[in-house]
Amino acid sequence: MNILVTGGAGYIGSHTCVALLEAGHTVIVADNLCNSKAETIDKIKQITNKEITFYQIDVTNEKALDTIFSDNLIDGIIHFAGLKAVGESVEKPLEYYYNNLVSTMVLSKACRKYGVKNFVFSSSATVYGDNTVPFVETIKLMPTTNPYGETKAMSERILTDIAKANPDWAVVLLRYFNPVGAHECGLIGEAPNGTPNNLMPYITKVAKGELKKLRIFGNDYPTVDGTGVRDYIHVMDLAEGHVAALNNLTEGVHIYNLGTGQGTSVLQLVKAFEEANAIEVPYEVVERRPGDIAACYADTSKASIELQCVAKRDLLAMCRDAWRFEKESLGRKDEN
Ligand code: NAD
Ligand code: UFG
């Protein structure tokens, strides 16, 4: 298939481009590079030895999308482009609502205009809120506590309504749990701007000595050791989940969790990282981070049964690959 990948220069998008190209699809990337770099496109080409068509455009721009859709025969779209920092969304709600919702609507309009009926959307486990684990796709969603989460719940709703009104559309809503790690070649990975907010990129900076110690946000949660539990999934497993979704497109709206189904605490992840890489990660326990929940992990049965999609890479591989990318790519001054 000829797939338009919005946000394809970003963390999950770039890994998915690799997986798509390796599965024989053709890829067109649309990204405004607001949180990524053009070099990533070259790295995807280097890894796969395949070509990519790249448009540096804002996907809220209808005219720019017209150019892409009229220049290319697109079979389907995977919509990653969006702003994703939970804390920042509280400071800048308008930017988040505008970017994340308008992009979804303008892309849907372009799909309707050009007869593209396959739409895969990047959603998030955040839509489940503080529910009972494991989260199964059918549970009632809880209101999220930040504008970022709201944009995911609203985009899901918009796409669901569009699919209801257009029964020949295939809409897939993928709810990601916590993607970590990097492509095993070390060329692409997660490169957040400034001090990382997320756990794994923070750990790699501490391991490298760029940050002094990890602050563990609370050890009094009702979990195995009191620290927060999450479902970490290797970004290449997540990427391959998109290929599986494209292989199983059927009309209607289909929602899938993409996780491993395994809960891992912050302390367990720190220990796994230390073991995988034979390096120490100093930490201290501090207050809980506002808005965090105790535990979040997936019921993965639906994706495994309907998409035959099961995460293959374990926690040690996630830690090893995250560290390799930090050392080999982020360490070099000429890149990232
Ligand atoms: P990322 O920031 O690395 O990638 C997003 C990409 O979209 C970036 O390259 C950015 O430049 C681009 N972009 C943003 N707004 C754009 C616009 N208006 N026009 C064109 N390009 C635009 O983020 P990521 O971690 O790869 O996340 C991808 C998607 O997955 C996002 O929608 C995010 O909300 C969702 N998601 C991410 C996580 C996570 O933990 N990383 C979890 C759940 C869901
Ligand atoms: N944590 C720390 N110290 C840190 C960073 C995180 O102890 O410096 C803890 C958190 O308290 C939490 C766990 O590590 O218990 C994971 O935190 P992250 O910030 O890495 O991830 P979250 O689960 O909070 O959120 C992430 C994305 C969201 C997405 C959600 C979906 O940031 O965008 O996963 O599951 F919605």
Side-chain angles (χ1 to χ4, degrees):
M1 292 172 87
N2 209 12
I3 306 298
L4 173 62
V5 180
T6 77
Y11 174 45
I12 306 172
S14 57
H15 290 81
T16 303
C17 286
V18 170
L20 290 169
L21 290 164
E22 282 174 349
H25 297 288
T26 322
V27 169
I28 299 146
V29 167
D31 198 305
N32 65 1
L33 304 180
C34 70
N35 197 34
S36 52
K37 293 195 163 67
E39 289 84 0
T40 302
I41 302 293
D42 297 328
K43 290 176 186 168
I44 299 168
K45 292 182 192 166
Q46 196 182 327
I47 295 168
T48 58
N49 208 15
K50 302 249 171 78
E51 276 311 307
I52 290 190
T53 311
F54 174 51
Y55 292 85
Q56 186 178 341
I57 61 131
D58 194 302
V59 295
T60 60
N61 180 337
E62 244 174 298
K63 281 208 179 109
L65 286 182
D66 259 330
T67 307
I68 298 183
F69 279 80
S70 48
D71 283 359
N72 301 276
L73 257 184
I74 293 165
D75 298 306
I77 159 169
I78 308 182
H79 179 31
F80 292 103
L83 301 175
K84 64 160 182 178
V86 173
E88 187 185 60
S89 79
V90 178
E91 312 296 319
K92 298 180 177 171
L94 183 54
E95 281 76 3
Y96 272 70
Y97 284 116
Y98 188 85
N99 196 59
N100 292 3
L101 296 180
V102 174
S103 61
T104 301
M105 290 188 279
V106 168
L107 280 161
S108 302
K109 274 178 77 181
C111 284
R112 186 175 61 185
K113 184 169 169 187
Y114 292 92
V116 178
K117 292 169 183 164
N118 299 313
F119 198 117
V120 178
F121 176 67
S122 297
S123 190
S124 165
T126 193
V127 298
Y128 292 116
D130 199 358
N131 248 304
T132 312
V133 281
F135 298 158
V136 65
E137 288 87 346
T138 46
I139 54 174
K140 193 173 182 312
L141 303 185
M142 293 243 189
T144 56
T145 51
N146 59 78
Y148 167 73
E150 289 297 340
T151 68
K152 291 297 172 192
M154 287 181 195
S155 291
E156 283 199 3
R157 181 64 198 267
I158 291 167
L159 289 166
T160 301
D161 287 342
I162 293 173
K164 273 190 202 150
N166 300 275
D168 54 345
W169 279 41
V171 168
V172 186
L173 308 175
L174 298 177
R175 293 181 180 155
Y176 308 153
F177 282 71
N178 290 51
V180 294
H183 190 273
E184 61 174 15
C185 69
L187 279 176
I188 55 170
E190 188 173 15
N193 294 327
T195 307
N197 292 308
N198 294 115
L199 182 58
M200 184 65 98
Y202 204 104
I203 287 178
T204 60
K205 295 281 177 218
V206 172
K208 207 171 169 191
E210 281 181 25
L211 293 168
K212 221 168 142 202
K213 49 170 100 149
L214 171 70
R215 291 169 307 144
I216 296 183
F217 299 135
N219 64 354
D220 56 352
Y221 286 106
T223 61
V224 57
D225 54 25
T227 64
V229 164
R230 296 292 181 272
D231 185 340
Y232 298 97
I233 175 168
H234 194 291
V235 67
M236 281 310 298
D237 279 325
L238 189 71
E240 286 162 9
H242 295 74
V243 178
L246 291 181
N247 287 341
N248 290 277
L249 287 169
T250 47
E251 290 168 357
V253 181
H254 305 277
I255 306 178
Y256 298 102
N257 287 336
L258 290 183
T260 63
Q262 302 292 317
T264 302
S265 76
V266 178
L267 277 173
Q268 286 169 338
L269 188 69
V270 170
K271 295 287 160 234
F273 188 91
E274 292 183 329
E275 194 186 315
N277 300 308
I279 192 160
E280 210 190 325
V281 179
Y283 65 82
E284 62 178 333
V285 176
V286 299
E287 288 295 289
R288 287 181 179 194
R289 182 171 66 178
D292 273 354
I293 57 174
C296 168
Y297 53 92
D299 181 317
T300 55
S301 332
K302 193 177 174 203
S304 107
I305 295 166
E306 292 186 14
L307 303 180
Q308 292 81 50
C309 167
V310 179
K312 297 193 286 276
R313 297 156 179 95
D314 64 11
L315 210 54
L316 293 179
M318 300 181 212
C319 293
R320 198 185 54 226
D321 294 341
W323 180 227
R324 184 186 297 112
F325 176 67
E326 179 70 55
K327 278 187 306 181
E328 292 183 6
S329 289
L330 293 183
R332 301 219 301 266
K333 283 210 174 71
D334 57 326
E335 294 175 37
N336 299 291

